[in-house]
Amino acid sequence: MPVLSEAQKAFFHENGYLVVEDAVDQQTLSAMQADFAAWVEDSRNHSEPYGEAFDGRARFDVEAAHSAEQPALRRVNAPVEISDAYYQAMNNSNMTKMLAELIGPNVKFHHSKINSKLPGGKTAVKWHQDFPFTPHTNDDVITALLMVDEVTAENGPLEVVAGSHRGKLHSLWHNGSFTGAIENSVAEQCQQQAITCMGPAGSVCLMHTRLLHGSAPNLSSHPRTLFICVYSADDAIPLSPNPMPNKFEGALVSGEKTNRVRSVDYEVELPEVPKGASFFVQQGAD
Ligand SMILES: O=C(O)CCC(=O)C(=O)O
């Protein structure tokens, strides 16, 4: 039985995003919340990025202002490698069924992370498109942002420009440096057209890889925890190294291996993958 209606699928293809409630079952959601709460507690014992991910990078990243009294854990790299609940949500949930209905039937996993904005945290995400970070031979690539907490207008929701996935690919390179963000003048226009993606815990925002998006700091007293997974059609082959190498890269979450490549003509500058703990464009005051 399909999870998405024809109207929801048409909305996604027209606007480049779709917010849907109940993307995971209640038991999985509660386990994800409990795991994250335990990671925040543990972060009180650390004053800088810690733990080890698949490629030796830090598993857990903290803001500069992080302290035992006021933890500011802002990133967990590849949580699916250390939590059954996050693995379940990524691999076998309503969310994965939705992906199969949008870019399937054959869908594979690319990478995952948690972006957390704890109350008082300064993290914002500058306007960008995901595709230039993870270029593939075709753009049947979706970023799924699962709301582990309720997302409101105040706690730093994802903001998107509807329909921008049908526009151009913007450069993330400025004056010879990879900034991970689009140029300021375009970002100002995006801000004027921004739509906020909100929902109760357990909702997901499914976002086309070319959609322009960003998000502001958390101004509320409630956390905002997003579990973010990138997936592609099986015949979309990555054109650059995975910015977050992980042991599940390429694993099918739906359908079967096609051993085919589908390619579309793109001109996209390759990303520069920094060696630090975070690779995306999170900007705190630090
Ligand atoms: O954490 C957020 O608010 C946005 C995340 C994002 O932009 C991304 O993962 O590409």
Side-chain angles (χ1 to χ4, degrees):
M1 183 117 144
V3 181
L4 297 177
S5 66
E6 289 305 317
Q8 284 174 310
K9 288 194 273 186
F11 184 95
F12 174 86
H13 292 300
E14 175 67 17
N15 295 288
Y17 75 100
L18 176 70
V19 178
V20 192
E21 295 187 11
D22 299 322
V24 289
D25 61 63
Q26 190 52 51
Q27 194 184 343
T28 304
L29 179 62
S30 301
M32 293 168 80
Q33 291 168 334
D35 282 350
F36 189 72
W39 290 329
V40 172
E41 266 320 291
D42 185 48
S43 76
R44 294 180 192 273
N45 302 313
H46 300 269
S47 53
E48 50 188 37
Y50 60 99
E52 194 173 331
F54 190 70
D55 62 346
R57 254 184 287 177
R59 173 81 65 189
F60 299 93
D61 188 21
V62 294
E63 289 189 15
H66 169 85
S67 66
E69 298 70 38
Q70 187 149 18
L73 177 63
R74 69 175 169 186
R75 164 68 59 78
V76 182
N77 290 327
V80 298
E81 292 179 345
I82 53 170
S83 158
D84 290 344
Y86 283 85
Y87 178 79
Q88 175 77 13
M90 173 281 274
N91 182 56
N92 184 14
S93 62
N94 270 347
M95 178 169 92
T96 40
K97 289 187 191 135
M98 292 172 201
L99 290 155
E101 290 172 22
L102 292 173
I103 53 169
N106 308 309
V107 179
K108 66 188 176 194
F109 173 72
H110 190 261
H111 72 269
S112 72
K113 64 190 177 196
I114 294 173
N115 276 3
S116 156
K117 294 182 184 173
L118 289 167
K122 302 275 190 307
T123 295
V125 179
K126 288 200 169 183
W127 286 91
H128 65 281
Q129 293 159 306
D130 285 350
F131 194 66
F133 284 96
T134 52
H136 282 64
T137 54
N138 68 66
D139 66 1
D140 273 347
V141 182
I142 287 183
T143 304
L145 305 103
L146 180 70
M147 305 177 199
V148 180
D149 303 308
E150 182 186 18
V151 176
T152 65
E154 288 78 38
N155 67 357
L158 183 78
E159 296 174 81
V160 301
V161 177
S164 55
H165 65 305
R166 290 184 272 109
K168 65 180 259 194
L169 284 166
H170 295 264
S171 179
L172 303 178
W173 289 82
H174 307 292
N175 301 322
S177 300
F178 183 76
T179 64
I182 59 171
E183 68 179 275
N184 289 339
S185 58
V186 183
E188 280 160 23
Q189 292 166 23
C190 291
Q191 202 57 62
Q192 284 164 17
Q193 301 167 51
I195 292 173
T196 48
C197 298
M198 300 176 285
S203 306
V204 68
C205 177
L206 301 161
M207 189 176 74
H208 191 282
T209 184
R210 297 173 65 130
L211 197 75
L212 283 160
H213 63 285
S215 69
N218 182 352
L219 302 176
S220 77
S221 54
H222 301 287
R224 192 227 65 170
T225 313
L226 283 186
F227 172 46
I228 302 173
C229 291
V230 175
Y231 301 88
S232 76
D234 181 62
D235 59 8
I237 308 300
L239 293 172
S240 68
N242 194 324
M244 185 150 300
N246 66 90
K247 70 177 184 188
F248 296 114
E249 177 179 349
L252 281 176
V253 298
S254 167
E256 51 193 36
K257 273 233 128 338
T258 56
N259 297 318
R260 286 168 54 90
V261 180
R262 185 163 42 95
S263 87
V264 176
D265 227 2
Y266 292 118
E267 203 172 306
V268 55
E269 292 154 305
L270 291 175
E272 184 174 78
V273 182
K275 294 215 167 37
S278 297
F279 71 87
F280 267 20
V281 264
Q282 286 194 328
Q283 267 99 18
D286 47 325

